[in-house]
Each structure stands twice: as C-alpha cells, then as structure tokens.
Amino acid sequence: MGGLDDHEPHPEHQHRHVQRPRTVLVITGSLDMDTVPDVTAATDALTLNERTLILDLSAVTFMDSSGLNTLLTPRNRIEADHAALELRGAPDQVVRLLDITGARDLFTLTP
C-alpha cells in the first residue's frame, strides 16, 4: 500500500543535526598582555568559514582584560565568517571575569 511506512518517522518529525567541522585551539598558562600576541596570531591564521572554533581554556591559569579582549576578537570575526565559537573548560577565574564584565552571554561555554 502507498504512503509512509509505519516504522519511519513522519517527514514533519525528522530532525537533522549537521555538525560543523571543528578546529580546536588549546591555550595554556596565563592569557594576559604578555601572551595575547601569540594567541591573536594563532586565531588570525585560522580559516573559519562555517567551522566551529573551540578555544580549550582548561589549562589557562590566569586571564586578565587583555585576554578577554583576545577572546572577543575572534568572536566578532566568527559572525562574519558564518562560523561558531565555543569556550571549552573555562576555569572558575575565567568564568568570574566573564561574569563581572557581562561577557559570559556572548560565548558558548562547554565543559
């Protein structure tokens, strides 16, 4: 008989999850005015078109306002490149800085 097979989901209920290609950049130690140039050079060199950039912050021991600015810069570029940004494993000090500055809602934080 024609129509839909009872075992297949109805087309209206089908969901597709398309996973973007990912690039992971691991940042270690302090993210401050001394290390910002290296991190900026690394993020600037990446091609992000429709990719997810994951900044792994789990090994960051300290971040100041210059480090925060370094996170905001690729965020702005990502919107223009139709890409996505995740901050992975942000330590408590980094999360507190994001909260204090009101920047937490600008990022996707993942464990």
Side-chain angles (χ1 to χ4, degrees):
M1 209 168 162
L4 295 174
D5 184 327
D6 290 343
H7 300 298
E8 292 181 21
H10 192 275
E12 294 174 10
H13 298 106
Q14 291 180 352
H15 298 281
R16 289 184 181 223
H17 177 71
V18 177
Q19 190 163 350
R20 298 171 181 256
R22 297 175 177 202
T23 299
V24 178
L25 182 63
V26 178
I27 302 172
T28 61
S30 294
L31 186 52
D32 56 21
M33 60 188 253
D34 292 329
T35 59
V36 160
D38 294 334
V39 175
T40 300
T43 57
D44 286 351
L46 297 173
T47 301
L48 299 176
N49 293 338
E50 299 184 11
R51 297 184 69 79
T52 296
L53 173 59
I54 300 171
L55 296 178
D56 186 332
L57 305 177
S58 59
V60 170
T61 56
F62 173 78
M63 185 173 83
D64 65 9
S65 60
S66 59
L68 174 58
N69 189 51
T70 300
L71 300 181
L72 290 168
T73 300
R75 182 190 169 274
N76 296 333
R77 189 176 124 217
I78 277 168
E79 288 180 5
D81 287 347
H82 307 287
L85 174 65
E86 292 178 17
L87 302 182
R88 179 185 290 167
D92 290 343
Q93 188 267 325
V94 171
V95 173
R96 278 193 304 276
L97 180 61
L98 294 173
D99 285 339
I100 290 168
T101 60
R104 183 178 189 163
D105 292 340
L106 299 176
F107 297 100
T108 299
L109 300 176
T110 60

